[in-house]
Amino acid sequence: VEYIYPDFETEAEWEAWEEPEITENEKLTYERLVQFQEEFSQKVSRVIAVTDTGIQGSCTTEDGTANVSLFGVMPGYFDSMKLDIISGRDVSGEDNRQTKPTAVVSDLFVKYAFGGKNPIGKHISIQSEDGTIQKLYVVGVYKYDDVRMGRGEENTPEKNIYTQVIVPYTYASMMKESMGNSNDMGINY
């Protein structure tokens, strides 16, 4: 989905403008993305939808705390970003079809939230800055790459970096809709 923003003469015009609502027929659903992949498989190698939930927060376990941001993806995200799954598995098509609260976390997350212990099969609770709690089930661990994922501010101590917790695209979309925000998404192909 590409956003086209109008040009404004004044700051007041910009402030008064509201982004148009997307109708149900215009929403890009997981099912429509899968259909698109199938329909254009001869022309496009893959389509990966990525959505930022806007949720940033922390995960505290008995072993430590890690800062996180939640992103929703379709299967194939890690391949398209050239990120390695080092333990467990990727978000699956089944996770997306069933809107499962599964998560793939970074090795950096594991270092600070679990003291380096294996998190596969564990439940985690992510508390966002507004106090909302998301409960997720860890199915995989990826190798954090600050060049591809972003490190945040220069000189940010490693333990303060917000790493991405990756969840199914459909689960992230459901979270965003419950927060009243369902319009932003990126597509990689």
Side-chain angles (χ1 to χ4, degrees), residues 62-171:
E62 61 188 37
D63 296 310
T65 300
N67 294 324
V68 299
S69 54
L70 264 59
F71 280 77
V73 303
M74 289 180 61
Y77 169 77
F78 291 97
D79 285 340
S80 73
M81 291 293 291
K82 298 185 179 10
L83 294 168
D84 295 324
I85 300 281
I86 55 178
S87 180
R89 65 174 177 84
D90 192 349
V91 169
S92 71
E94 193 62 25
D95 293 337
N96 271 287
R97 278 188 289 284
Q98 294 185 13
T99 315
K100 289 184 176 180
T102 54
V104 182
V105 299
S106 74
D107 59 336
L108 195 58
F109 171 92
V110 173
K111 179 178 179 179
Y112 291 103
F114 284 93
K117 297 175 190 165
N118 183 2
I120 305 291
K122 304 264 195 261
H123 285 89
I124 58 173
S125 295
I126 308 239
Q127 182 166 357
S128 65
E129 293 167 350
D130 72 358
T132 306
I133 295 176
Q134 299 295 326
K135 294 185 182 214
L136 305 167
Y137 180 77
V138 179
V139 297
V141 177
Y142 69 90
K143 177 78 177 145
Y144 177 77
D145 181 333
D146 62 357
V147 172
R148 291 192 186 345
M149 308 297 286
R151 184 175 177 85
E153 297 289 321
E154 192 174 338
N155 300 322
T156 300
E158 185 182 73
K159 67 181 175 79
N160 294 341
I161 293 173
Y162 282 79
T163 66
Q164 293 180 2
V165 170
I166 305 299
V167 299
Y169 173 81
T170 54
Y171 186 77

